[in-house]
Amino acid sequence: MRRRRKLWLVIFFSLLLGGLFFYFRRGPQIAAHSVLLVTLRGTYPEAAPEGLLSRIVSGRETSLAELLLSLRKASADARIRGIVVRVADLEIGWAKAADIRDGLTAARRAGKSTLALLEHEAGNAALPYFVASACERVYVAPGGQVALRGLAARYVFLGGLWEKLHIEMDVEKMAEYKTAGDTLANKAMSPAHREMANSLLDSVNDWYISTIAFARGIDSETVRSTIEERAPSGAQQLVEAGFADGAKYLDDLWHELGVDRNAIVTEDTYGQVPPTAVGLETGPRIAVILAAGTIATGESYRTSAGAVAGADSLRAALQDAARDPRVRAIVLRVDSPGGSALAADSVWRAVQEARRHKPVIASFSDLAASGGYYIASNSTKIAAQPATLTGSIGVVFARPNIRGLLAEWGIHTETLSRGRFAYLDDPTSPLDDGGRARVREDVERTYELFLRRVSEGRGLERDRVHEIGRGRVWTGTQAKELGLVDSLGGFYHAIELAKKEAGIPAEQDPELMFLPKRKGWWQELTESFATTRSQALPRFVRQILERIPVGLEPGPAAILADAVTVQ
């Protein structure tokens, strides 16, 4: 009897596993003339696509790679005749917005009907509208208050905070545009900071205006004056300005498309369709290495404070991809404000070694500044979106003196040392002139190394790198004009560059292998809890925390970008 039960159990699980294998290989059944429903909301982190089990257990947000792949699959899938996009509150930067917009534009060019429904509830909807404008028709939810008020850049200065906490923040930087130091120590903008900030805002705004104008068939100056002078809000004003096509509910869009409920395919369902089922990712392999977050020594991980791009993880991934005979090219996907100079130089070296074996294409997301630019500067080619914050070739050193804070709580310290500068590592000792000169020497040495690395990687003279460096942040458009970037485009533009450099025929669609390798579902689950906790904080607070330089204790100089949010 027991043997018979065991036999039936073996048969049952064999059939179950066989069914699951067949399901995941072929994916769910999609009816002909279906319409894909996509809801755009949240952060879309730069992360590897997750398996079904990980998505179910960890409950993570959809990654940008997963979203872009779904749009690509829909473009190539003969069963999908259209895409309806519900655009809500997007907590992403302009480069990611451009990547999503590129995906919608590609679907439209492939002959798919594309309709956008703006469900932004209140406040400035500049970025959500920018994404929605890629669709052939744009509608506004009747109950929403979609407003186009123009772009604004917010900068945060923490100098007054340290005063209230009785902390002295000593900062040394190279050079005048390295405003991460200003963020830490100042109370207001310096003239150099203001010059750079206005230049960035003008560049993003010009690109934003021209993109919308082209999409809606309106003169650029008309778009500019309408937004600046009228700030249209609500469906009626947007329609009158030519920015929208009407006010509709989601059900109205199904009626417009003549779609039966059974023909609506959700993102979750469509995410289970393997790319090979629609003829994608059947060609040679390209490795995609994700460098997302603050650059630090050690392993990559995600916490409630943000992502960390660990040098050990990135170096190992580059080495694995370079040695793998199945990998024809490498795409280094960067979304980082910078971090440790030591860690960045370690990854720079790994890129150099990988290039000896196969092409390395750097693809920039929202941020590729400071250490983020450092690690990519030695790539075969570099691609950025027009609004990617790029460059910030500079160095900053921050040293807090917490003696006053401790004294407020009745805590007093004494430090005994041997060596003139041993006190530099003591956070309770003030910085004297000699110590400041010593720190300055370290910062200048790190900056010179940064200049040399970019000079070698980009084929530019050292003095030219210094001229366009000095800590200055550029948009992708400006960076291309200056020679810091080779071409403008998003993630799949970088894939096309990699194909060309590797000699992969244009008609072949490469298989993408994401590195560092995905973690186990248990580790993803625990990390997702930490990430979820951070979502309870207001968005503005999270943006500040994500960009405050980590590791403020005395130590090696860091290479960090300025804290800027353009909305």
Side-chain angles (χ1 to χ4, degrees):
M1 190 69 176
R2 288 183 177 177
R3 288 183 179 179
R4 183 173 295 180
R5 287 180 179 174
K6 288 182 179 179
L7 177 61
W8 280 112
L9 284 173
V10 169
I11 293 173
F12 172 77
F13 282 110
S14 297
L15 290 172
L16 178 62
L17 291 174
L20 288 172
F21 175 78
F22 180 79
Y23 177 82
F24 287 117
R25 186 172 182 179
R26 295 290 301 275
Q29 292 296 316
I30 305 296
H33 308 296
S34 292
V35 173
L36 175 63
L37 173 61
V38 176
T39 300
L40 298 179
R41 178 186 290 111
T43 61
Y44 293 101
E46 294 285 352
E50 296 178 351
L52 178 62
L53 179 61
S54 294
R55 287 202 301 269
I56 293 173
V57 174
S58 69
R60 278 253 189 106
E61 282 190 283
T62 301
S63 70
L64 182 67
E66 289 167 329
L67 173 62
L68 297 182
L69 179 57
S70 288
L71 294 176
R72 274 198 92 222
K73 289 187 300 184
S75 299
D77 195 338
R79 301 168 298 181
I80 300 294
R81 70 179 182 90
I83 302 174
V84 169
V85 185
R86 302 172 66 186
V87 188
D89 187 25
L90 282 167
E91 299 184 37
I92 58 177
W94 289 98
K96 285 183 180 178
D99 256 321
I100 297 171
R101 200 179 186 285
D102 289 346
L104 292 170
T105 301
R108 188 174 174 180
R109 288 174 180 166
K112 311 296 179 180
S113 297
T114 54
L115 276 64
L117 178 61
L118 281 162
E119 296 183 323
H120 191 82
E121 189 164 3
N124 194 2
L127 189 144
Y129 177 79
F130 172 79
V131 174
S133 68
C135 296
E136 56 187 293
R137 291 190 292 282
V138 178
Y139 297 106
V140 179
Q145 291 298 324
V146 177
L148 300 183
R149 298 171 180 164
L151 306 187
R154 180 191 301 120
Y155 293 84
V156 178
F157 300 92
L158 303 175
L161 172 64
W162 310 130
E163 286 185 2
K164 292 182 181 298
L165 296 175
H166 305 283
I167 293 175
E168 295 179 8
M169 184 65 70
D170 291 309
V171 171
E172 285 294 325
K173 62 179 184 176
M174 287 293 292
E176 68 269 31
Y177 294 103
K178 195 64 181 179
T179 49
D182 296 351
T183 296
L184 280 172
N186 292 2
K187 295 180 180 179
M189 279 187 174
S190 66
H193 191 172
R194 189 172 299 278
E195 174 197 349
M196 181 182 72
N198 278 310
S199 175
L200 290 172
L201 188 56
D202 285 341
S203 181
V204 175
N205 191 54
D206 288 346
W207 166 71
Y208 170 74
I209 294 294
S210 63
T211 302
I212 290 175
F214 179 81
R216 299 298 299 178
I218 308 173
D219 178 77
S220 290
E221 286 309 310
T222 301
V223 173
R224 188 186 304 272
S225 61
T226 300
I227 292 175
E228 290 181 357
E229 297 172 12
R230 294 175 51 196
S233 78
Q236 183 176 343
Q237 291 184 11
L238 290 173
V239 171
E240 290 173 353
F243 293 158
D245 299 289
K248 290 191 176 185
Y249 295 99
L250 183 59
D251 287 346
D252 296 328
L253 270 60
W254 303 136
H255 292 308
E256 180 175 334
L257 291 171
V259 175
D260 183 87
R261 282 284 182 181
N262 295 326
I264 301 170
V265 182
T266 65
E267 280 181 88
D268 287 342
T269 298
Y270 200 65
Q272 298 167 32
V273 175
T276 52
V278 293
L280 298 178
E281 298 198 17
T282 58
R285 182 174 292 181
I286 289 178
V288 179
I289 297 175
L290 299 169
T294 303
I295 298 170
T297 55
E299 302 291 328
S300 297
Y301 60 92
R302 293 179 63 83
T303 70
S304 57
V308 170
D312 290 352
S313 297
L314 295 176
R315 189 170 59 247
L318 285 161
Q319 291 171 349
D320 290 345
R323 294 168 183 168
D324 189 338
R326 299 168 297 174
V327 172
R328 296 279 297 276
I330 299 169
V331 170
L332 179 64
R333 178 70 171 178
V334 179
D335 189 20
S336 172
S340 160
L342 172 64
D345 195 59
S346 174
V347 179
W348 183 94
R349 170 68 172 179
V351 171
Q352 181 184 55
E353 291 300 309
R355 274 190 65 182
R356 300 182 191 275
H357 302 277
K358 52 201 65 171
V360 179
I361 308 299
S363 171
F364 291 167
S365 184
D366 286 334
L367 278 170
S370 260
Y373 185 79
Y374 192 125
I375 65 174
S377 62
N378 203 27
S379 302
T380 309
K381 297 284 185 182
I382 299 178
Q385 286 285 15
T388 299
L389 296 181
T390 311
S392 190
I393 301 168
V395 183
V396 63
F397 174 93
R399 181 185 185 276
N401 175 12
I402 63 172
R403 178 187 292 267
L405 173 64
L406 296 178
E408 281 292 305
W409 290 89
I411 302 172
H412 299 275
T413 66
E414 290 189 22
T415 301
L416 302 177
S417 64
R418 300 294 184 271
R420 169 71 175 85
F421 299 109
Y423 82 96
L424 290 178
D425 295 310
D426 176 22
T428 63
S429 297
L431 194 65
D432 62 20
D433 291 342
R436 186 174 297 279
R438 187 68 182 83
V439 168
R440 182 73 178 180
E441 181 182 330
D442 292 342
V443 169
E444 289 176 350
R445 182 168 54 250
T446 303
Y447 180 62
E448 283 299 322
L449 180 61
F450 199 165
L451 294 179
R452 189 162 71 248
R453 294 304 192 221
V454 176
S455 175
E456 293 171 9
R458 300 301 300 164
L460 299 169
E461 294 292 332
R462 179 265 179 206
D463 290 347
R464 175 57 177 161
V465 178
H466 172 61
E467 180 183 349
I468 60 181
R470 295 180 290 162
R472 182 156 184 167
V473 181
W474 306 94
T475 63
T477 298
Q478 295 169 329
K480 183 177 183 296
E481 295 171 354
L482 296 168
L484 296 176
V485 164
D486 294 296
S487 61
L488 297 178
F491 176 71
Y492 280 104
H493 172 73
I495 297 297
E496 291 301 314
L497 291 178
K499 284 173 58 179
K500 184 177 180 180
E501 290 292 330
I504 298 174
E507 66 273 10
Q508 293 187 2
D509 194 69
E511 174 193 1
L512 302 185
M513 178 180 73
F514 285 82
L515 296 172
K517 291 183 179 179
R518 197 166 54 231
K519 298 173 182 176
W521 66 268
W522 176 253
Q523 189 169 1
E524 288 184 343
L525 174 62
T526 55
E527 287 186 6
S528 79
F529 283 149
T531 304
T532 302
R533 286 197 302 270
S534 73
Q535 301 305 311
L537 295 173
R539 179 181 177 185
F540 174 56
V541 175
R542 280 185 276 125
Q543 289 171 339
I544 295 175
L545 292 176
E546 287 168 2
R547 286 182 167 87
I548 292 178
V550 296
L552 293 183
E553 70 278 0
I559 39 182
L560 294 143
D562 185 38
V564 55
T565 303
V566 180
Q567 297 179 325

